[in-house]
């Protein structure tokens, strides 16, 4: 029978009673028009891992690996068939062919996830059978915060491969915050010259007394960004950049003090923030600030193109943050109060909504779509904007009922920086316990939505903030294995949360850990953190009990 230890779980698996196909040095690869990118990926990834040439050959060659499009299948859907004459992967589109190739890789075992052969074996067997599959949600994402702790370009490319291996198709790239600006903007060089470096870093939660007394930072050049976006597109992943405004902007103000509320504080004395939490230093609601960020977005439009012929569906989106904007300085600022009066607004919340609407209009005029955290609902929902519902389900429900698209990413369920167990050995424990099973039982669509309202749920996303994830190994620990469970929630058509077969998922994870090992992922083992994954004596912020389901 065909091995069904696949993650995410496919819709249909039909195993033959007997028979196996042998993938070996004589196997040829035929990639029909429109499937060339997957053909290249198979040669460079699978061919390298298994030591097979996968030479091009005609489709009627015995023992061929064939890739082709099939317009009877839906978007991102695929059909993988293994028989005597070879392996055939059909996709409803190029993305479907690619996801089918990812499934083929899993069928070949952990060795297929390495970068070079580990033993002199020239043949790999796959049981005969058919797999048919298609995703439940169109938006299946991971948000990675590279502002609090910078991840070098090679690490980002590696995470794109990890997303692809789990059939996730959106990479939400959190590029700016109070603690660092991470993308080169040519017309504003101080954003990276000054804004990408902080003098020191808090080690642990904000109440910790520990500091790493050395500079931390880094940024992506514009060519780095182009490379990341192109690499993602080859894997059918949309990169959605986030530039945080009008809050979470102290790094930008440190670089260009005129962006801050100069009539309230001495913005020239500000530095890139070295602490965690929510800074009260926010952007001033001035025309100068609007023009400055329009200049930033003009360069970003080129770096993050939205050509539907070359880039995935959600590459039109720009995330503008919009969350946790402290209003203290606006209340004290004569300039901000004058703007409120000039625009006839009802207070500071409405001023924030005006700020967001300005960029919604600006982006829409250039063929893009704004998406922001659910605080953009405060003071009135920006017309045309989509919402990332992070504080719970409530913001997403409100937005969907108002006819706005939603990505469900409630912190109580899919914030991967939350601790994974209640034990004392969990490194820097943050917030509530969110176990592998908790994530597996997450349901993205709130039951109170009608069928028509639920169609506004584009999909779901897991978020990984990096205040206490100081390097790639810590990011791995927080992400895995929970990201594998999340990927199944996002892709597979699972029963209601209470009816899901978590024991069956755990059995499939036993095989999947071998794949993660081959990929070098420093995941949390089922038995708990390994000695080098612990952070004894580093203060976290654990919260007890079950998180509120709001």
């Amino acid at each position: 029978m065909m091995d069904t230890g696949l993650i995410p779980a496919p819709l249909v698996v039909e195993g033959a009673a007997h028979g196996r196909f042998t993938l070996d040095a004589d196997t040829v690869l035929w990639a029909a028009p429109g499937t060339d990118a997957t053909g290249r990926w198979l040669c460079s990834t699978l061919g390298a891992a298994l030591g097979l040439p996968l030479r091009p050959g005609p489709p009627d060659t015995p023992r061929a690996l064939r890739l082709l499009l099939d317009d009877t299948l839906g978007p991102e859907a695929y059909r993988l068939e293994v028989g005597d004459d070879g392996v055939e992967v059909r996709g409803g589109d190029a993305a479907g062919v690619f996801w089918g190739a990812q499934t083929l890789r899993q069928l070949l075992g952990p060795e297929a996830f390495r970068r070079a052969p580990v033993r002199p074996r020239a043949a790999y067997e796959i049981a005969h059978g058919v797999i048919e599959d298609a995703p439940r949600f169109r938006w299946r994402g991971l948000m990675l915060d590279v502002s609090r702790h910078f991840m070098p370009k090679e690490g980002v490319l590696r995470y794109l491969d990890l997303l692809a291996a789990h059939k996730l198709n959106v990479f939400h790239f959190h590029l700016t915050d109070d603690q660092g600006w991470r993308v080169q903007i040519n017309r504003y060089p101080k954003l990276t010259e000054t804004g990408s470096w902080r003098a020191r870093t808090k080690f642990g939660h904000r109440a910790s007394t520990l500091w790493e007394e050395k500079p931390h930072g880094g940024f992506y050049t514009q060519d780095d960004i182009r490379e990341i976006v192109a690499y993602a597109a080859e894997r059918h992943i949309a990169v959605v950049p986030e530039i945080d405004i009008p809050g979470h902007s102290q790094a930008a103000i440190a670089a260009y003090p005129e962006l801050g509320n100069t009539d309230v504080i001495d913005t020239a004395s500000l530095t890139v923030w070295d602490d965690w939490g929510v800074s009260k230093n926010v952007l001033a609601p001035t025309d100068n600030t609007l023009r400055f960020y329009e200049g930033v977005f003009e360069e970003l439009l080129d770096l993050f193109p939205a050509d539907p012929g070359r880039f995935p569906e959600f590459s039109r989106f720009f995330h503008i943050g919009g969350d946790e904007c402290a209003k203290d300085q606006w209340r004290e600022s004569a300039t901000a109060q004058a703007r409120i009066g000039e625009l006839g607004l009802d207070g500071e919340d409405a001023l924030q909504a005006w700020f967001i609407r300005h960029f919604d209009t600006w982006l829409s005029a250039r063929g893009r779509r704004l998406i922001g955290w659910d605080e953009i609902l405060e003071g009135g929902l920006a017309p045309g904007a989509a919402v990332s519902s992070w504080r719970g389900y409530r913001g997403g429900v409100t937005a969907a009922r108002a006819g706005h698209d939603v990505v469900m990413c409630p912190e109580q369920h899919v914030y991967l920086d939350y601790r994974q167990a209640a034990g004392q050995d969990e490194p820097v424990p943050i917030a509530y316990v969110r176990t592998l099973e908790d994530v597996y039982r997450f349901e993205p669509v709130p039951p109170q939505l009608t069928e028509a309202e639920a169609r506004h749920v584009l999909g779901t996303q897991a978020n990984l903030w990096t205040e206490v994830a100081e390097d790639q190994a810590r990011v791995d620990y927080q992400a895995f294995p929970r990201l594998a469970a999340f990927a199944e929630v996002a892709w597979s058509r699972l029963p209601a949360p209470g009816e899901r077969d978590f024991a069956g998922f755990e059995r499939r994870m036993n095989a999947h850990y071998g794949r993660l090992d081959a990929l070098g992922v420093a995941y949390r083992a089922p038995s708990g953190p390994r000695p080098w994954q612990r952070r004894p004596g580093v203060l976290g912020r654990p919260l007890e009990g079950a998180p509120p389901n709001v």
Side-chain angles (χ1 to χ4, degrees), residues 255-333:
Y256 291 92
E258 65 271 22
L259 296 174
N261 295 284
T262 56
D263 58 346
V264 176
I265 64 162
D266 176 17
T267 56
S269 67
L270 293 178
T271 60
V272 177
W273 210 22
D274 59 11
D275 207 345
W276 311 131
V278 180
S279 171
K280 296 186 182 302
N281 296 302
V282 303
L283 297 175
T286 64
D287 290 341
N288 175 65
T289 300
L290 298 181
R291 300 293 88 76
F292 183 96
Y293 275 89
E294 286 171 2
V296 168
F297 282 123
E298 282 173 3
E299 293 195 24
L300 293 176
L301 290 176
D302 175 63
L303 297 179
F304 296 92
D307 179 348
R310 294 188 299 136
F311 295 96
E313 173 188 8
F314 295 115
S315 56
R316 288 183 57 216
F317 280 87
F318 265 72
H319 204 291
I320 50 68
D323 64 317
E324 298 179 326
C325 179
K327 309 297 194 306
D328 308 60
Q329 292 180 0
W330 285 356
R331 293 187 187 97
E332 297 177 27
S333 166

Side-chain angles (χ1 to χ4, degrees), residues 142 144 159 162 416-417 420 436 464 473-486 521-524:
L142 172 71
L144 182 61
Y159 256 81
L162 290 172
L416 299 183
D417 47 312
Q420 302 187 61
L436 181 65
L464 208 171
R474 281 287 289 120
V475 172
D476 280 4
Y477 180 90
Q478 293 303 131
F480 289 98
R482 292 182 297 181
L483 191 63
F486 172 80
V521 176
Y523 58 86
R524 183 190 189 276

Side-chain angles (χ1 to χ4, degrees), residues 139-152:
W139 184 300
R140 306 179 302 279
L142 172 71
M143 188 288 302
L144 182 61
D145 167 25
V146 296
S147 179
R148 274 52 174 269
H149 278 100
F150 178 65
M151 179 177 284

Side-chain angles (χ1 to χ4, degrees), residues 393 396-397 408 443-450 454 457:
Y393 288 111
V397 169
M408 285 294 185
E443 172 49 50
V445 179
Q448 60 265 48
L449 291 181
T450 66
V457 179

Side-chain angles (χ1 to χ4, degrees), residues 80-405:
L80 188 157
E81 183 172 2
V82 182
D84 287 331
D85 62 342
V87 179
E88 182 174 278
V89 180
R90 294 174 174 267
D93 51 16
V97 175
F98 183 69
W99 304 134
Q102 291 287 353
T103 297
L104 173 64
R105 188 188 191 189
Q106 289 197 21
L107 292 173
L108 287 162
E111 290 180 28
F113 289 80
R114 296 190 178 274
R115 296 191 181 185
V118 294
R119 56 183 57 88
R121 193 174 88 191
Y124 298 82
E125 291 187 338
I126 315 172
H128 290 181
V130 174
I131 295 174
E132 296 179 351
D133 206 3
R136 179 187 178 191
F137 291 108
R138 291 156 53 204
W139 184 300
R140 306 179 302 279
L142 172 71
M143 188 288 302
L144 182 61
D145 167 25
V146 296
S147 179
R148 274 52 174 269
H149 278 100
F150 178 65
M151 179 177 284
K153 181 196 69 177
E154 288 303 315
V156 174
L157 298 178
R158 173 178 176 267
Y159 256 81
L160 291 171
D161 280 329
L162 290 172
L163 264 62
H166 292 83
K167 298 185 176 72
L168 298 172
N169 68 341
V170 177
F171 179 60
H172 176 166
F173 205 7
H174 183 82
L175 288 164
T176 72
D177 218 295
D178 298 308
Q179 294 86 2
W181 183 285
R182 304 294 178 218
V183 56
Q184 178 186 33
I185 303 297
N186 289 330
R187 73 186 72 184
Y188 304 127
K190 291 181 182 178
L191 285 173
T192 47
E193 290 172 1
T194 299
S196 70
W197 293 94
R198 58 179 182 262
R200 63 176 188 168
T201 299
K202 176 66 68 74
F203 194 44
H205 185 255
R206 65 193 73 164
S208 171
T209 60
L210 303 176
W211 295 85
E212 188 176 36
E213 297 287 351
K214 68 178 183 180
H216 175 86
F219 65 92
Y220 309 103
T221 68
Q222 295 205 349
D223 279 347
D224 289 339
I225 294 292
R226 292 186 180 97
E227 180 183 0
I228 288 167
V229 170
Y231 193 86
E234 285 273 309
R235 287 147 183 79
H236 301 279
I237 296 170
V239 181
V240 177
E242 179 178 353
I243 303 296
D244 222 334
I245 54 175
H248 287 292
S249 298
Q250 184 166 325
I253 298 168
Y256 291 92
E258 65 271 22
L259 296 174
N261 295 284
T262 56
D263 58 346
V264 176
I265 64 162
D266 176 17
T267 56
S269 67
L270 293 178
T271 60
V272 177
W273 210 22
D274 59 11
D275 207 345
W276 311 131
V278 180
S279 171
K280 296 186 182 302
N281 296 302
V282 303
L283 297 175
T286 64
D287 290 341
N288 175 65
T289 300
L290 298 181
R291 300 293 88 76
F292 183 96
Y293 275 89
E294 286 171 2
V296 168
F297 282 123
E298 282 173 3
E299 293 195 24
L300 293 176
L301 290 176
D302 175 63
L303 297 179
F304 296 92
D307 179 348
R310 294 188 299 136
F311 295 96
E313 173 188 8
F314 295 115
S315 56
R316 288 183 57 216
F317 280 87
F318 265 72
H319 204 291
I320 50 68
D323 64 317
E324 298 179 326
C325 179
K327 309 297 194 306
D328 308 60
Q329 292 180 0
W330 285 356
R331 293 187 187 97
E332 297 177 27
S333 166
T335 300
Q337 293 302 313
R339 174 125 285 186
I340 289 172
E342 168 196 332
L343 296 170
L345 300 176
D346 183 20
E348 291 77 20
D349 284 349
L351 183 62
Q352 179 178 346
W354 164 82
F355 205 107
I356 300 303
R357 279 196 298 270
H358 174 87
F359 286 99
D360 182 27
T361 301
W362 191 92
L363 289 166
S364 296
R366 290 154 181 81
R368 301 304 182 94
R369 288 192 66 185
L370 179 148
I371 184 168
W373 303 112
D374 55 49
E375 281 93 334
I376 67 174
L377 293 163
E378 296 171 5
L381 190 65
V387 169
S388 299
S389 187
W390 77 272
R391 292 182 294 182
Y393 288 111
R394 189 177 298 129
V397 169
T398 300
R401 286 176 173 168
H404 293 264
D405 288 340

Side-chain angles (χ1 to χ4, degrees), residues 411-430:
E411 61 171 324
Q412 301 87 350
H413 299 275
V414 289
Y415 265 37
L416 299 183
D417 47 312
Y418 281 23
R419 58 189 173 135
Q420 302 187 61
Q424 296 299 309
D425 289 335
E426 289 302 312
V428 198
I430 297 298

